[in-house]
Amino acid sequence: MFRKRAGDAMMDMLIEWGVDHIYGMPGDSINSLIESIRKRKEQLDFVQVRHEEAGALAAASYAKLTGKLGVCMGIAGPGAIHLLNGLYDAKLDKVPVLAIAGQVETDLMGSDFFQEVDLANLFKDVAVYSQTVMSAEQLPTVVNQAVRAAYDKKGVSVLIIPDDIPKMEIERGARVTSTTLVQSDQIPQQQDIQQAEKLLNKAEKPIILAGKGARGARDSLIRFAEKLNAPIVLTLPGKGIVPDDHPLCLGGLGLLGTKPATLAMEEADTLIMVGTSFPFTGFLPENAKTIHIDKDPSQIGKRYPVDVGLAGDSELTLSKLTVLIQTPNDGAFLQKYQSQMNDWWTRLEEQEADNSVPIKPQRVVGALQQVAADDAILSVDVGNVTVWMARHFKMKNQKFITSGWLATLGCGLPGAIAGRIAYPHKQVFAVCGDGGFQMMMNDFVTAVKYDLPLVCIVFNNHKIAMIKFEQEVMGNAEFGTNLQNPDFARYADICGGIGYRVEHPDDILPALEKAVSHRKPCIIDVVVDANEAPLPAKITFAQMTGYARHMVKELFQEGTIHKPPL
């Protein structure tokens, strides 16, 4: 490492950490780093995105899919600023990302030079670790610190590197640290385990809410639920932890969830939260005894009162609790909602078979279910499309990602690009609304450039449809939600990919089958019903009265009225 240029040493260290690609755009304050990447191009791919936000979203998605460090970079000023949205997505969804931000040369810092921005303050809120590098000798040490912090704290690390630093040689005597991360199993304290044991053995109507923190603990979770006779409900980031059609699974919770899950939560006397700090507490039981399992003690009881907190790894903790269950309930509570769940699936299948024109969005998901492989990658954008995928797509062993906490539009396509890079031999789908897709559609060219076969399904209703629905249930007239869309299929062709336009239900499945058979990026532009509202699983009185006010306003102001499919 010694007498190497600092930029070259940095790339060597990233390779040692297992980094094999970086998302970004070249530019004047990172040109020295780009040269160091070029020298390592056999081991370190540079993925040139069309917008730095797409690069940061792709890095966050790569981390969500693999658990490995996602890396993105941008120049000082505009490039670094563009990274922020994707970095906040990584921060809020708690995944490891390293952002490399260029800066003006050290002798120009503080002089209000061209494109100079106070990057240290810019990244202050988003980063678990942020450092401006001021010497070649400092760079290797802070690279290790940054990567270690991103992994350990499951967040964003930022390295701000003036453009002259990577060109400098590292002098002898520079501090040497190691590219290793040491982790340990976390087990709750015995006294907390004993308290949980008492609650579990008294539970008559127990229910489990599992989130992202339960990933990797599928078998332990199912064994625990079977022993306890408890149904499992999943948060959106936890979708797929247990197969959706598993007998114990009641699907999701909240506005995107199922009616059996909502009703079971209302009736439960004991709630076991596993790896989630669920924010929508109005959907949780009012008086249930609550056990909260989370590896991060700061999340326990953060949003909802708990009776017992278990700070520990989900798999180890569930395994310990399973052997302590001695007097499980009679199973009547579980059987009741299993029966309701069977009825729920029947209703959804009827919706998926609807042959109406314009096409019902549920029909699109039903067709995707027939085509998607058991191990496919699903990158789902934010909006109504999230509701249709959360409810209707029955996960088996597929990987499902979205922007969970930030809920940022535009995450679908960058996530699919990352999915194809992470898993080059698997099917990859971006499932997007037309509003979200248009935010990042320029990076479809990135998929074409790097020969990344993926299928982007665009639900085209010429609306920001979820906001339309929100306005309606608030009692407001719809305003500002209409979109002027291009022909997305023609756009795919122009970019060098393949496009299909679908306007009739019978054409959806053939288009999907053709798309997955191609070795090129595809867009399927599906014209769907703009008036198909993503109704909650259980409609509240406030939502009904709000919608009634909306219909009155629509009638008097627009002279028209549209009733939801109640």
Side-chain angles (χ1 to χ4, degrees), residues 376-413:
I377 310 300
L378 304 168
S379 177
V380 180
D381 217 312
V382 170
N384 279 3
V385 68
T386 323
V387 179
W388 307 130
M389 285 296 290
R391 284 192 188 157
H392 287 263
F393 194 92
K394 294 181 180 178
M395 294 282 289
K396 295 180 175 63
N397 296 303
Q398 297 92 349
K399 289 183 180 288
F400 178 104
I401 57 167
T402 188
S403 177
W405 278 85
L406 189 60
T408 182
L409 282 169
C411 64
L413 178 58

mmCIF file of all heavy atoms in Angstrom, residues 376-413:
data_model
loop_
_atom_site.group_PDB
_atom_site.id
_atom_site.type_symbol
_atom_site.label_atom_id
_atom_site.label_comp_id
_atom_site.label_asym_id
_atom_site.label_seq_id
_atom_site.Cartn_x
_atom_site.Cartn_y
_atom_site.Cartn_z
ATOM 1 N N ALA A 376 -37.430 -15.004 -8.294
ATOM 2 C CA ALA A 376 -37.336 -13.726 -9.002
ATOM 3 C C ALA A 376 -37.082 -12.572 -8.036
ATOM 4 O O ALA A 376 -37.359 -12.650 -6.835
ATOM 5 C CB ALA A 376 -38.623 -13.467 -9.783
ATOM 6 N N ILE A 377 -36.551 -11.478 -8.592
ATOM 7 C CA ILE A 377 -36.326 -10.240 -7.846
ATOM 8 C C ILE A 377 -37.425 -9.254 -8.217
ATOM 9 O O ILE A 377 -37.644 -8.983 -9.412
ATOM 10 C CB ILE A 377 -34.948 -9.630 -8.174
ATOM 11 C CG1 ILE A 377 -33.838 -10.677 -8.058
ATOM 12 C CG2 ILE A 377 -34.675 -8.422 -7.295
ATOM 13 C CD1 ILE A 377 -33.692 -11.301 -6.696
ATOM 14 N N LEU A 378 -38.118 -8.719 -7.224
ATOM 15 C CA LEU A 378 -39.215 -7.790 -7.449
ATOM 16 C C LEU A 378 -38.867 -6.446 -6.817
ATOM 17 O O LEU A 378 -38.801 -6.327 -5.592
ATOM 18 C CB LEU A 378 -40.504 -8.328 -6.827
ATOM 19 C CG LEU A 378 -40.949 -9.730 -7.282
ATOM 20 C CD1 LEU A 378 -42.052 -10.252 -6.384
ATOM 21 C CD2 LEU A 378 -41.404 -9.713 -8.732
ATOM 22 N N SER A 379 -38.630 -5.442 -7.653
ATOM 23 C CA SER A 379 -38.375 -4.092 -7.165
ATOM 24 C C SER A 379 -39.635 -3.276 -7.405
ATOM 25 O O SER A 379 -39.986 -2.982 -8.551
ATOM 26 C CB SER A 379 -37.177 -3.476 -7.888
ATOM 27 O OG SER A 379 -36.972 -2.141 -7.459
ATOM 28 N N VAL A 380 -40.320 -2.929 -6.336
ATOM 29 C CA VAL A 380 -41.660 -2.343 -6.434
ATOM 30 C C VAL A 380 -41.598 -0.864 -6.079
ATOM 31 O O VAL A 380 -41.094 -0.481 -5.008
ATOM 32 C CB VAL A 380 -42.649 -3.083 -5.509
ATOM 33 C CG1 VAL A 380 -44.038 -2.476 -5.614
ATOM 34 C CG2 VAL A 380 -42.690 -4.568 -5.879
ATOM 35 N N ASP A 381 -42.116 -0.035 -6.984
ATOM 36 C CA ASP A 381 -42.119 1.408 -6.750
ATOM 37 C C ASP A 381 -43.198 1.768 -5.727
ATOM 38 O O ASP A 381 -43.928 0.902 -5.237
ATOM 39 C CB ASP A 381 -42.327 2.145 -8.081
ATOM 40 C CG ASP A 381 -41.507 3.420 -8.153
ATOM 41 O OD1 ASP A 381 -41.528 4.206 -7.185
ATOM 42 O OD2 ASP A 381 -40.844 3.635 -9.182
ATOM 43 N N VAL A 382 -43.300 3.047 -5.444
ATOM 44 C CA VAL A 382 -44.210 3.550 -4.407
ATOM 45 C C VAL A 382 -45.473 4.107 -5.057
ATOM 46 O O VAL A 382 -45.411 4.738 -6.117
ATOM 47 C CB VAL A 382 -43.506 4.627 -3.568
ATOM 48 C CG1 VAL A 382 -44.490 5.347 -2.645
ATOM 49 C CG2 VAL A 382 -42.388 3.993 -2.751
ATOM 50 N N GLY A 383 -46.621 3.876 -4.419
ATOM 51 C CA GLY A 383 -47.895 4.365 -4.923
ATOM 52 C C GLY A 383 -48.939 3.268 -4.881
ATOM 53 O O GLY A 383 -48.798 2.285 -4.150
ATOM 54 N N ASN A 384 -49.993 3.417 -5.679
ATOM 55 C CA ASN A 384 -51.012 2.379 -5.727
ATOM 56 C C ASN A 384 -50.429 1.027 -6.095
ATOM 57 O O ASN A 384 -50.907 -0.022 -5.654
ATOM 58 C CB ASN A 384 -52.088 2.747 -6.758
ATOM 59 C CG ASN A 384 -53.110 3.724 -6.206
ATOM 60 O OD1 ASN A 384 -52.992 4.162 -5.078
ATOM 61 N ND2 ASN A 384 -54.098 4.064 -7.012
ATOM 62 N N VAL A 385 -49.380 1.059 -6.930
ATOM 63 C CA VAL A 385 -48.762 -0.190 -7.361
ATOM 64 C C VAL A 385 -48.233 -0.983 -6.164
ATOM 65 O O VAL A 385 -48.230 -2.222 -6.173
ATOM 66 C CB VAL A 385 -47.647 0.111 -8.386
ATOM 67 C CG1 VAL A 385 -46.478 0.819 -7.743
ATOM 68 C CG2 VAL A 385 -47.185 -1.141 -9.083
ATOM 69 N N THR A 386 -47.822 -0.283 -5.119
ATOM 70 C CA THR A 386 -47.364 -0.960 -3.903
ATOM 71 C C THR A 386 -48.498 -1.738 -3.261
ATOM 72 O O THR A 386 -48.314 -2.860 -2.766
ATOM 73 C CB THR A 386 -46.808 0.053 -2.886
ATOM 74 O OG1 THR A 386 -46.120 1.090 -3.564
ATOM 75 C CG2 THR A 386 -45.883 -0.616 -1.889
ATOM 76 N N VAL A 387 -49.693 -1.134 -3.260
ATOM 77 C CA VAL A 387 -50.862 -1.794 -2.674
ATOM 78 C C VAL A 387 -51.187 -3.072 -3.448
ATOM 79 O O VAL A 387 -51.395 -4.141 -2.862
ATOM 80 C CB VAL A 387 -52.081 -0.848 -2.676
ATOM 81 C CG1 VAL A 387 -53.306 -1.550 -2.077
ATOM 82 C CG2 VAL A 387 -51.775 0.432 -1.908
ATOM 83 N N TRP A 388 -51.236 -2.953 -4.779
ATOM 84 C CA TRP A 388 -51.619 -4.130 -5.574
ATOM 85 C C TRP A 388 -50.606 -5.262 -5.406
ATOM 86 O O TRP A 388 -50.991 -6.437 -5.295
ATOM 87 C CB TRP A 388 -51.737 -3.751 -7.048
ATOM 88 C CG TRP A 388 -52.636 -2.577 -7.322
ATOM 89 C CD1 TRP A 388 -52.348 -1.480 -8.076
ATOM 90 C CD2 TRP A 388 -53.969 -2.359 -6.826
ATOM 91 N NE1 TRP A 388 -53.406 -0.602 -8.089
ATOM 92 C CE2 TRP A 388 -54.412 -1.109 -7.324
ATOM 93 C CE3 TRP A 388 -54.830 -3.085 -6.006
ATOM 94 C CZ2 TRP A 388 -55.667 -0.584 -7.050
ATOM 95 C CZ3 TRP A 388 -56.082 -2.562 -5.714
ATOM 96 C CH2 TRP A 388 -56.487 -1.338 -6.231
ATOM 97 N N MET A 389 -49.326 -4.928 -5.370
ATOM 98 C CA MET A 389 -48.305 -5.976 -5.198
ATOM 99 C C MET A 389 -48.317 -6.544 -3.785
ATOM 100 O O MET A 389 -48.167 -7.755 -3.588
ATOM 101 C CB MET A 389 -46.928 -5.413 -5.539
ATOM 102 C CG MET A 389 -46.682 -5.234 -7.024
ATOM 103 S SD MET A 389 -46.680 -6.802 -7.944
ATOM 104 C CE MET A 389 -45.156 -7.533 -7.344
ATOM 105 N N ALA A 390 -48.490 -5.681 -2.793
ATOM 106 C CA ALA A 390 -48.489 -6.146 -1.403
ATOM 107 C C ALA A 390 -49.645 -7.107 -1.142
ATOM 108 O O ALA A 390 -49.495 -8.104 -0.432
ATOM 109 C CB ALA A 390 -48.572 -4.959 -0.450
ATOM 110 N N ARG A 391 -50.795 -6.816 -1.715
ATOM 111 C CA ARG A 391 -51.975 -7.649 -1.453
ATOM 112 C C ARG A 391 -52.051 -8.881 -2.341
ATOM 113 O O ARG A 391 -52.400 -9.965 -1.889
ATOM 114 C CB ARG A 391 -53.248 -6.815 -1.670
ATOM 115 C CG ARG A 391 -53.544 -5.845 -0.570
ATOM 116 C CD ARG A 391 -54.934 -5.294 -0.738
ATOM 117 N NE ARG A 391 -55.155 -4.214 0.227
ATOM 118 C CZ ARG A 391 -56.042 -3.263 0.072
ATOM 119 N NH1 ARG A 391 -56.798 -3.232 -1.001
ATOM 120 N NH2 ARG A 391 -56.193 -2.322 0.990
ATOM 121 N N HIS A 392 -51.758 -8.699 -3.628
ATOM 122 C CA HIS A 392 -52.093 -9.738 -4.598
ATOM 123 C C HIS A 392 -50.947 -10.675 -4.948
ATOM 124 O O HIS A 392 -51.201 -11.819 -5.327
ATOM 125 C CB HIS A 392 -52.634 -9.092 -5.883
ATOM 126 C CG HIS A 392 -54.010 -8.529 -5.729
ATOM 127 N ND1 HIS A 392 -55.148 -9.195 -6.104
ATOM 128 C CD2 HIS A 392 -54.432 -7.341 -5.218
ATOM 129 C CE1 HIS A 392 -56.212 -8.455 -5.845
ATOM 130 N NE2 HIS A 392 -55.803 -7.328 -5.311
ATOM 131 N N PHE A 393 -49.702 -10.213 -4.865
ATOM 132 C CA PHE A 393 -48.610 -11.102 -5.253
ATOM 133 C C PHE A 393 -48.280 -12.035 -4.095
ATOM 134 O O PHE A 393 -47.885 -11.592 -3.015
ATOM 135 C CB PHE A 393 -47.366 -10.320 -5.672
ATOM 136 C CG PHE A 393 -46.358 -11.184 -6.382
ATOM 137 C CD1 PHE A 393 -46.378 -11.305 -7.756
ATOM 138 C CD2 PHE A 393 -45.416 -11.909 -5.669
ATOM 139 C CE1 PHE A 393 -45.482 -12.131 -8.421
ATOM 140 C CE2 PHE A 393 -44.508 -12.734 -6.309
ATOM 141 C CZ PHE A 393 -44.537 -12.848 -7.689
ATOM 142 N N LYS A 394 -48.413 -13.322 -4.332
ATOM 143 C CA LYS A 394 -48.137 -14.318 -3.296
ATOM 144 C C LYS A 394 -46.659 -14.677 -3.334
ATOM 145 O O LYS A 394 -46.212 -15.458 -4.178
ATOM 146 C CB LYS A 394 -48.992 -15.575 -3.511
ATOM 147 C CG LYS A 394 -50.485 -15.341 -3.337
ATOM 148 C CD LYS A 394 -51.264 -16.635 -3.545
ATOM 149 C CE LYS A 394 -52.751 -16.423 -3.386
ATOM 150 N NZ LYS A 394 -53.520 -17.670 -3.624
ATOM 151 N N MET A 395 -45.925 -14.123 -2.395
ATOM 152 C CA MET A 395 -44.486 -14.385 -2.322
ATOM 153 C C MET A 395 -44.227 -15.818 -1.901
ATOM 154 O O MET A 395 -44.892 -16.358 -1.015
ATOM 155 C CB MET A 395 -43.847 -13.441 -1.310
ATOM 156 C CG MET A 395 -43.874 -11.978 -1.704
ATOM 157 S SD MET A 395 -42.612 -11.576 -2.908
ATOM 158 C CE MET A 395 -41.148 -11.700 -1.874
ATOM 159 N N LYS A 396 -43.214 -16.417 -2.553
ATOM 160 C CA LYS A 396 -42.736 -17.734 -2.152
ATOM 161 C C LYS A 396 -41.295 -17.574 -1.669
ATOM 162 O O LYS A 396 -41.051 -17.385 -0.488
ATOM 163 C CB LYS A 396 -42.866 -18.718 -3.304
ATOM 164 C CG LYS A 396 -44.312 -18.997 -3.724
ATOM 165 C CD LYS A 396 -44.385 -19.973 -4.864
ATOM 166 C CE LYS A 396 -45.824 -20.346 -5.208
ATOM 167 N NZ LYS A 396 -46.642 -19.209 -5.674
ATOM 168 N N ASN A 397 -40.355 -17.618 -2.623
ATOM 169 C CA ASN A 397 -38.954 -17.402 -2.268
ATOM 170 C C ASN A 397 -38.363 -16.215 -3.029
ATOM 171 O O ASN A 397 -37.145 -16.066 -3.083
ATOM 172 C CB ASN A 397 -38.135 -18.663 -2.552
ATOM 173 C CG ASN A 397 -38.575 -19.825 -1.680
ATOM 174 O OD1 ASN A 397 -38.571 -19.735 -0.468
ATOM 175 N ND2 ASN A 397 -38.985 -20.918 -2.314
ATOM 176 N N GLN A 398 -39.232 -15.411 -3.623
ATOM 177 C CA GLN A 398 -38.754 -14.229 -4.325
ATOM 178 C C GLN A 398 -38.215 -13.196 -3.327
ATOM 179 O O GLN A 398 -38.491 -13.268 -2.136
ATOM 180 C CB GLN A 398 -39.881 -13.586 -5.141
ATOM 181 C CG GLN A 398 -40.444 -14.456 -6.254
ATOM 182 C CD GLN A 398 -41.637 -15.279 -5.827
ATOM 183 O OE1 GLN A 398 -41.961 -15.385 -4.653
ATOM 184 N NE2 GLN A 398 -42.305 -15.896 -6.805
ATOM 185 N N LYS A 399 -37.431 -12.270 -3.843
ATOM 186 C CA LYS A 399 -36.969 -11.140 -3.034
ATOM 187 C C LYS A 399 -37.781 -9.915 -3.426
ATOM 188 O O LYS A 399 -37.948 -9.612 -4.608
ATOM 189 C CB LYS A 399 -35.477 -10.880 -3.253
ATOM 190 C CG LYS A 399 -34.564 -11.938 -2.645
ATOM 191 C CD LYS A 399 -33.094 -11.583 -2.843
ATOM 192 C CE LYS A 399 -32.184 -12.635 -2.234
ATOM 193 N NZ LYS A 399 -32.171 -12.620 -0.771
ATOM 194 N N PHE A 400 -38.281 -9.206 -2.424
ATOM 195 C CA PHE A 400 -39.171 -8.060 -2.612
ATOM 196 C C PHE A 400 -38.535 -6.849 -1.959
ATOM 197 O O PHE A 400 -38.238 -6.871 -0.765
ATOM 198 C CB PHE A 400 -40.525 -8.382 -1.956
ATOM 199 C CG PHE A 400 -41.563 -7.289 -2.015
ATOM 200 C CD1 PHE A 400 -42.622 -7.377 -2.901
ATOM 201 C CD2 PHE A 400 -41.513 -6.191 -1.166
ATOM 202 C CE1 PHE A 400 -43.601 -6.398 -2.945
ATOM 203 C CE2 PHE A 400 -42.475 -5.198 -1.205
ATOM 204 C CZ PHE A 400 -43.533 -5.309 -2.105
ATOM 205 N N ILE A 401 -38.307 -5.787 -2.736
ATOM 206 C CA ILE A 401 -37.786 -4.558 -2.141
ATOM 207 C C ILE A 401 -38.621 -3.368 -2.599
ATOM 208 O O ILE A 401 -39.208 -3.367 -3.687
ATOM 209 C CB ILE A 401 -36.298 -4.301 -2.504
ATOM 210 C CG1 ILE A 401 -36.083 -4.260 -4.018
ATOM 211 C CG2 ILE A 401 -35.392 -5.295 -1.822
ATOM 212 C CD1 ILE A 401 -34.724 -3.714 -4.430
ATOM 213 N N THR A 402 -38.668 -2.368 -1.752
ATOM 214 C CA THR A 402 -39.292 -1.098 -2.067
ATOM 215 C C THR A 402 -38.658 -0.053 -1.159
ATOM 216 O O THR A 402 -37.770 -0.364 -0.363
ATOM 217 C CB THR A 402 -40.818 -1.161 -1.870
ATOM 218 O OG1 THR A 402 -41.417 0.041 -2.364
ATOM 219 C CG2 THR A 402 -41.194 -1.336 -0.397
ATOM 220 N N SER A 403 -39.085 1.181 -1.283
ATOM 221 C CA SER A 403 -38.644 2.219 -0.355
ATOM 222 C C SER A 403 -39.611 2.216 0.817
ATOM 223 O O SER A 403 -40.700 2.784 0.741
ATOM 224 C CB SER A 403 -38.638 3.581 -1.059
ATOM 225 O OG SER A 403 -38.272 4.613 -0.155
ATOM 226 N N GLY A 404 -39.218 1.537 1.898
ATOM 227 C CA GLY A 404 -40.140 1.268 2.987
ATOM 228 C C GLY A 404 -40.499 2.478 3.816
ATOM 229 O O GLY A 404 -41.664 2.837 3.967
ATOM 230 N N TRP A 405 -39.492 3.129 4.382
ATOM 231 C CA TRP A 405 -39.752 4.222 5.317
ATOM 232 C C TRP A 405 -39.793 5.584 4.640
ATOM 233 O O TRP A 405 -40.584 6.442 5.003
ATOM 234 C CB TRP A 405 -38.701 4.220 6.431
ATOM 235 C CG TRP A 405 -39.015 3.239 7.505
ATOM 236 C CD1 TRP A 405 -38.699 1.915 7.517
ATOM 237 C CD2 TRP A 405 -39.738 3.483 8.709
ATOM 238 N NE1 TRP A 405 -39.168 1.311 8.661
ATOM 239 C CE2 TRP A 405 -39.805 2.256 9.422
ATOM 240 C CE3 TRP A 405 -40.322 4.605 9.276
ATOM 241 C CZ2 TRP A 405 -40.442 2.140 10.644
ATOM 242 C CZ3 TRP A 405 -40.949 4.492 10.513
ATOM 243 C CH2 TRP A 405 -41.007 3.267 11.183
ATOM 244 N N LEU A 406 -38.939 5.811 3.670
ATOM 245 C CA LEU A 406 -38.968 7.090 2.962
ATOM 246 C C LEU A 406 -40.103 7.104 1.940
ATOM 247 O O LEU A 406 -40.655 8.164 1.650
ATOM 248 C CB LEU A 406 -37.630 7.343 2.268
ATOM 249 C CG LEU A 406 -37.423 8.724 1.654
ATOM 250 C CD1 LEU A 406 -37.512 9.810 2.716
ATOM 251 C CD2 LEU A 406 -36.080 8.806 0.932
ATOM 252 N N ALA A 407 -40.442 5.933 1.408
ATOM 253 C CA ALA A 407 -41.516 5.800 0.419
ATOM 254 C C ALA A 407 -41.326 6.794 -0.721
ATOM 255 O O ALA A 407 -42.208 7.582 -1.039
ATOM 256 C CB ALA A 407 -42.893 5.977 1.074
ATOM 257 N N THR A 408 -40.157 6.728 -1.338
ATOM 258 C CA THR A 408 -39.857 7.673 -2.397
ATOM 259 C C THR A 408 -40.256 7.128 -3.758
ATOM 260 O O THR A 408 -39.929 6.001 -4.124
ATOM 261 C CB THR A 408 -38.360 8.051 -2.393
ATOM 262 O OG1 THR A 408 -38.117 9.005 -3.422
ATOM 263 C CG2 THR A 408 -37.457 6.849 -2.616
ATOM 264 N N LEU A 409 -40.978 7.935 -4.500
ATOM 265 C CA LEU A 409 -41.274 7.593 -5.881
ATOM 266 C C LEU A 409 -39.972 7.479 -6.673
ATOM 267 O O LEU A 409 -39.026 8.211 -6.436
ATOM 268 C CB LEU A 409 -42.149 8.681 -6.512
ATOM 269 C CG LEU A 409 -43.646 8.681 -6.166
ATOM 270 C CD1 LEU A 409 -44.286 9.972 -6.658
ATOM 271 C CD2 LEU A 409 -44.346 7.483 -6.777
ATOM 272 N N GLY A 410 -39.969 6.573 -7.614
ATOM 273 C CA GLY A 410 -38.813 6.424 -8.489
ATOM 274 C C GLY A 410 -37.855 5.329 -8.100
ATOM 275 O O GLY A 410 -36.857 5.107 -8.791
ATOM 276 N N CYS A 411 -38.134 4.587 -7.022
ATOM 277 C CA CYS A 411 -37.182 3.572 -6.548
ATOM 278 C C CYS A 411 -37.233 2.282 -7.363
ATOM 279 O O CYS A 411 -36.316 1.460 -7.290
ATOM 280 C CB CYS A 411 -37.429 3.256 -5.072
ATOM 281 S SG CYS A 411 -39.050 2.492 -4.748
ATOM 282 N N GLY A 412 -38.299 2.075 -8.162
ATOM 283 C CA GLY A 412 -38.496 0.784 -8.811
ATOM 284 C C GLY A 412 -37.424 0.421 -9.825
ATOM 285 O O GLY A 412 -36.831 -0.659 -9.756
ATOM 286 N N LEU A 413 -37.165 1.311 -10.780
ATOM 287 C CA LEU A 413 -36.189 1.008 -11.829
ATOM 288 C C LEU A 413 -34.763 0.901 -11.289
ATOM 289 O O LEU A 413 -34.064 -0.071 -11.609
ATOM 290 C CB LEU A 413 -36.280 2.043 -12.950
ATOM 291 C CG LEU A 413 -35.285 1.881 -14.094
ATOM 292 C CD1 LEU A 413 -35.412 0.521 -14.767
ATOM 293 C CD2 LEU A 413 -35.462 3.003 -15.118
#
